[in-house]
Amino acid sequence: MAIAIRKFDAVIVGAGGAGMRAALQLAEAGFKVAVVSKVFPTRSHTVAAQGGIGAALGNMGEDSWLWHMYDTIKGSDYLGDQDAIEFMCRMAPQVVLELEHFGMPFDRNDNGTVYQRPFGGHSQNFGERPVQRSCCAADRTGHAMLHTLYQRNVRANTHFFVEWMALDLVRDAAGHVLGVTALEMETGEIYLMQARATLFATGGAGRIFAASTNAFINTGDGLGMAARAGIPLEDMEFWQFHPTGVAGAGVLITEGVRGEGGYLLNRNGERFMERYAPTMKDLASRDVVSRAMATEIKEGRGCGPEADHVLLKLDHLGVEVVEKRLPGIREIARKFANVDPVKQPIPVVPTAHYQMGGIPTNYHGEVVAPRSGNPEAVVPGFYAAGECACASVHGANRLGTNSLTDLLVFGKASGERMAQFLRENPEHRDLPSDAADRTLMRLDRLESQRNGESVHQVGADMRRTMQAHCGVFRFPDLLVEGVRKILEIAERAQRTEIKDHSKVFNTARTEALELDNLIEVARATMISAEARKESRGAHDREDFAKRDDENWLKHTLWFKDDDRLEYKPVHLKPLTAATFEPKVRTY
Amino acid sequence: MSEVDRIRWHCRRGLLELDIVLARFLDRHLDDLDRIEREAFKSLLMHSDNDLWDMISGRAEPPPEGVEAGVLELLRNV
Ligand SMILES: Cc1cc2nc3c(=O)[nH]c(=O)nc-3n(C[C@H](O)[C@H](O)[C@H](O)COP(=O)(O)OP(=O)(O)OC[C@H]3O[C@@H](n4cnc5c(N)ncnc54)[C@H](O)[C@@H]3O)c2cc1C
């Protein structure tokens, strides 16, 4: 079947912070850039970010990129690549100031400089005392960033393809990336978006878990497309969780609730944190609280008919305290948990928040994969940035505010690198005759499937399995069984069936195609997690409680083919600074 | 039918809170809206995510008027 071809210098999939920052770099350099997005750009998930952008501007007191670098490496539990981290921390002040010049309405100090907020994990002088490093625009940092970048891109003549869904990566026999296939939702037509350079900036895949703070569109499409095209996924076992998301909904309940005296209960009405952390109790650190919650649930002391959550009690605080010190909590509990927290406890569960792993790249945003003995050979024409990429600056655990920094720094860096590549490669390579086959076969299979599986049911089973077997605290027996279960679910995902075959805005079809991507991410996560026999950063195992640098100071690479795993070394050598040697991590 | 499908996709947002509330609204109310109310819903969906969420959670000043206010009331209570 012949499909229509649209030709560009560069195609960027994703219009969040990372995609739009990269697009801007290219469009302002005069290239013809297409940005494809499932939703209107300013509705990308970046809009949810409130905390701010980390950059050592030093506006609130002394600061340096080297201290930011130290905090990031320590936060990453030494799995982060130190060259990429140095690059990010050195570039951060510059990209923040550029964003300011683009018109970003940052909060300001009296002297006109950008105001910076305190945020956990950021310090002066290598952990000595806290530093204010987070640049924000009230509680709408992500929103302001998207609007600023969108305006600027419109001015630079970036071509936006809004409500278009990229389906598959197009590669030729030599492995060069030549663009993507994409579905125009409004017409149901399939196009081949041909490009000399292609960037994925598709965001995270938090929707593989039953409990997730991520919006519904965060289905890991970039990761699924890369995996199907033979590109490995790196460090997928590392997911950051937040201890208290509303059970069944995912919406966050601020840690302030426990700060004000709220506490957690199991099904016996026991205040179980007293057993796990006798001194700090419910105010222990995030990981300690999450681990205790997961243990209670695993041992059958969870609440509700499925015994799958615990309760956060705050009715003893009184209406006044709740209304005054915890604004918005009553509203959120009523809306998303159907309880009034001044009378009843809120059902909560550790909730997936951020994906540290992703498509492997170097610090130029070039996608790298093993080839003839080189673990990091560049895949020509292919780039990735933002949450879908693994540079790896977050290692085993991301430091708060470093994701927005990552979007700006690596969005820009990949845009620059792509521009250079475009100058060196002025001609489009020939499209292979089977360029769109993978996509057309996938669509064909979906349209003709009879007596198949329900997308909704397979998706729900996947999310439940990931949550129960590969959650915030991991148990060996559950992981082994989880691998078996997820492979079974992946089989079922190949037989999904849709009842609605209409062309225009067919959400059922979109969701089936999204599930194809989610399931690859789920497999990668479960299999990588089962194999890593240590605890590091966000990967926390009951049977191997300690970090094991001797055997596991290395990155995981998962290949879709046979679910094969390989490992590659961590870059311990920074660009100019001295190596930060792995140390025990205490705060 | 295609208009309804378009509205459904426009309920996919960047904020999880909106995803959930809008999905409920679609289930419970979309079929019962008359043409004018449906237009009002569509224009509410045009707001940016944070503005729409502020309206739904009652923090926005000033609140919308007319038919939009009625649809918003439904959204607040789903
Ligand atoms: C509640 C919350 C608060 C947060 N707060 C902070 C914070 O304060 N500071 C911080 O640093 N980080 C924060 N984070 C993390 C941060 O917001 C995200 O990691 C970051 O915004 C991801 O940006 P992105 O550009 O990679 O992707 P996104 O913003 O998720 O954008 C992805 C884009 O890809 C498009 N897309 C996806 N698949 C396809 C496809 N198949 N075809 C076409 N287009 C596609 C989407 O339409 C979208 O435009 C927060 C996260 C959450 C959930």
Side-chain angles (χ1 to χ4, degrees):
Chain A
M1 185 181 133
I3 64 171
I5 297 172
R6 313 278 302 248
K7 230 175 179 175
F8 302 90
D9 294 327
V11 165
I12 291 175
V13 184
M20 289 210 284
R21 184 62 190 82
L24 187 59
Q25 202 65 25
L26 287 158
E28 288 190 341
F31 293 105
K32 187 176 172 195
V33 186
V35 174
V36 184
S37 179
K38 290 202 284 193
V39 297
F40 193 76
T42 53
R43 290 180 197 163
S44 300
H45 190 53
T46 296
V47 78
Q50 301 187 339
I53 314 171
L57 298 174
N59 289 351
M60 318 301 291
E62 201 185 347
D63 202 359
S64 94
W65 62 261
L66 193 64
W67 298 343
H68 187 190
M69 178 177 173
Y70 168 78
D71 294 337
T72 304
I73 293 171
K74 180 179 170 192
S76 83
D77 217 353
Y78 299 91
L79 193 72
D81 283 335
Q82 299 197 10
D83 52 349
I85 294 174
E86 175 176 340
F87 182 79
M88 178 176 85
C89 296
R90 289 178 76 135
M91 292 292 293
Q94 185 189 328
V95 291
V96 165
L97 294 180
E98 276 167 5
L99 193 63
E100 188 189 11
H101 292 305
F102 295 162
M104 172 89 170
F106 281 116
D107 292 353
R108 290 182 188 282
N109 292 308
D110 290 340
N111 66 3
T113 55
V114 172
Y115 168 77
Q116 298 182 275
R117 255 186 216 165
F119 214 95
H122 290 278
S123 77
Q124 248 174 2
N125 208 18
F126 314 107
E128 235 173 61
R129 58 190 103 70
V131 70
Q132 293 183 224
R133 191 177 280 152
S134 171
C135 313
C136 41
D139 60 353
R140 290 186 168 201
T141 308
H143 170 98
M145 182 165 154
L146 287 178
H147 280 264
T148 305
L149 291 173
Y150 179 65
Q151 298 299 337
R152 190 92 182 176
N153 266 293
V154 168
R155 230 175 66 185
N157 287 325
T158 300
H159 302 251
F160 282 98
F161 291 81
V162 174
E163 293 166 351
W164 282 54
M165 181 183 183
L167 299 180
D168 278 297
L169 197 60
V170 175
R171 295 181 84 179
D172 65 13
H176 286 251
V177 169
L178 310 178
V180 292
T181 51
L183 165 78
E184 183 183 25
M185 295 187 188
E186 184 163 21
T187 60
E189 297 298 327
I190 308 294
Y191 290 85
L192 202 158
M193 314 284 282
Q194 189 185 3
R196 287 184 282 141
T198 303
L199 172 83
F200 278 5
T202 51
R207 302 301 309 177
I208 63 169
F209 292 100
S212 166
T213 65
N214 283 197
F216 293 176
I217 43 175
N218 281 28
T219 53
D221 295 358
L223 284 78
M225 289 188 272
R228 281 194 296 277
I231 311 274
L233 301 181
E234 180 173 347
D235 292 343
M236 291 306 298
E237 60 272 45
F238 298 101
W239 289 83
Q240 202 165 60
F241 282 72
H242 192 290
T244 54
V246 174
V251 176
L252 287 182
I253 299 287
T254 155
E255 276 157 313
V257 170
R258 281 173 287 131
E260 293 294 340
Y263 55 81
L264 297 162
L265 298 175
N266 65 16
R267 77 176 309 141
N268 306 323
E270 183 203 2
R271 183 173 180 183
F272 59 85
M273 281 313 299
E274 290 179 334
R275 253 189 292 124
Y276 295 87
T279 320
M280 294 301 286
K281 300 181 184 148
D282 298 82
L283 294 178
S285 66
R286 269 189 191 185
D287 52 328
V288 173
V289 175
S290 293
R291 187 184 305 155
M293 292 167 74
T295 306
E296 290 300 300
I297 292 168
K298 153 125 204 287
E299 292 179 354
R301 290 188 296 278
C303 307
E306 310 267 331
D308 57 359
H309 59 263
V310 298
L311 296 172
L312 177 58
K313 175 178 154 64
L314 57 154
D315 56 0
H316 56 288
L317 300 179
V319 183
E320 266 131 75
V321 172
V322 173
E323 298 249 297
K324 212 163 124 214
R325 305 241 193 89
L326 301 165
I329 286 300
R330 228 177 146 179
E331 175 76 10
I332 285 186
R334 279 199 196 120
K335 257 205 163 57
F336 300 109
N338 209 13
V339 299
D340 183 349
V342 305
K343 298 198 192 108
Q344 302 142 285
I346 311 174
V348 292
V349 36
T351 299
H353 189 50
Y354 183 86
Q355 154 200 318
M356 265 76 70
I359 303 168
T361 73
N362 58 27
Y363 66 88
H364 305 295
E366 293 167 322
V367 174
V368 292
R371 195 173 60 233
S372 5
N374 175 4
E376 300 186 323
V378 169
V379 179
F382 192 27
Y383 303 78
E387 194 170 334
C388 75
C390 182
S392 138
V393 283
H394 310 300
N397 185 48
R398 173 188 69 117
L399 205 59
T401 76
N402 263 358
S403 172
L404 295 185
T405 313
D406 167 352
L407 309 186
L408 292 173
V409 169
F410 295 104
K412 178 180 179 187
S414 52
E416 277 178 338
R417 198 62 164 201
M418 289 166 82
Q420 184 187 336
F421 182 84
L422 291 172
R423 288 189 199 101
E424 289 162 4
N425 296 273
E427 302 297 330
H428 282 87
R429 295 171 66 90
D430 290 337
L431 285 172
S433 57
D434 63 354
D437 282 11
R438 194 193 337 264
T439 298
L440 296 176
M441 273 161 55
R442 212 146 63 84
L443 289 170
D444 210 44
R445 200 282 305 155
L446 186 60
E447 294 310 315
S448 56
Q449 182 75 49
R450 296 294 172 267
N451 303 317
E453 296 274 351
S454 127
V455 172
H456 181 78
Q457 196 55 50
V458 176
D461 290 349
M462 172 196 68
R463 287 187 286 275
R464 210 172 308 123
T465 302
M466 291 309 294
Q467 192 78 24
H469 292 261
C470 201
V472 67
F473 187 36
R474 295 166 176 176
F475 304 86
D477 50 333
L478 289 183
L479 283 167
V480 170
E481 203 193 327
V483 169
R484 187 183 56 74
K485 281 191 176 175
I486 209 72
L487 291 177
E488 246 172 54
I489 295 170
E491 282 293 316
R492 288 168 54 204
Q494 293 185 15
R495 297 192 307 272
T496 48
E497 178 181 353
I498 51 174
K499 309 282 179 202
D500 175 1
H501 296 276
S502 63
K503 291 203 107 183
V504 178
F505 280 103
N506 184 336
T507 308
R509 181 180 296 127
T510 308
E511 286 174 356
L513 295 167
E514 286 177 334
L515 182 65
D516 288 350
N517 298 320
L518 283 165
I519 197 72
E520 302 299 350
V521 181
R523 268 165 67 176
T525 299
M526 187 74 84
I527 286 165
S528 306
E530 194 278 323
R532 184 175 282 270
K533 307 279 190 312
E534 66 159 353
S535 288
R536 179 187 298 271
H539 177 62
D540 194 0
R541 283 183 72 122
E542 185 204 35
D543 52 343
F544 296 93
K546 291 233 157 56
R547 199 176 77 201
D548 174 2
D549 289 332
E550 207 169 305
N551 296 300
W552 289 101
L553 185 56
K554 56 190 180 185
H555 295 293
T556 305
L557 293 177
W558 169 87
F559 294 78
K560 175 175 159 63
D561 237 13
D562 301 329
D563 291 295
R564 183 164 49 89
L565 294 178
E566 288 182 15
Y567 294 90
K568 67 175 185 180
V570 174
H571 297 192
L572 292 170
K573 204 176 151 17
L575 300 171
T576 65
T579 295
F580 289 96
E581 298 291 346
K583 280 196 289 197
V584 178
R585 191 160 144 265
T586 51
Y587 284 100
Chain B
M1 199 50 200
S2 68
E3 196 205 355
V4 172
D5 293 329
R6 184 193 307 267
I7 292 176
R8 283 187 183 282
W9 188 254
H10 287 171
C11 291
R12 291 286 201 108
R13 314 295 291 209
L15 292 180
L16 175 64
E17 289 85 344
L18 284 179
D19 276 339
I20 297 172
V21 168
L22 293 172
R24 282 186 201 156
F25 181 88
L26 292 177
D27 275 355
R28 294 181 200 166
H29 298 298
L30 186 65
D31 293 344
D32 303 330
L33 299 185
D34 63 27
R35 196 180 54 78
I36 297 171
E37 288 167 330
R38 189 182 284 182
E39 287 307 313
F41 181 50
K42 275 162 64 181
S43 75
L44 282 172
L45 289 178
M46 297 301 287
H47 288 279
S48 73
D49 278 41
N50 281 290
D51 290 344
L52 184 54
W53 178 243
D54 281 354
M55 287 184 198
I56 292 173
S57 53
R59 276 194 299 264
E61 300 285 335
E65 292 169 6
V67 193
E68 272 187 38
V71 176
L72 184 59
E73 199 49 37
L74 290 175
L75 268 170
R76 282 198 183 138
N77 292 313
V78 286

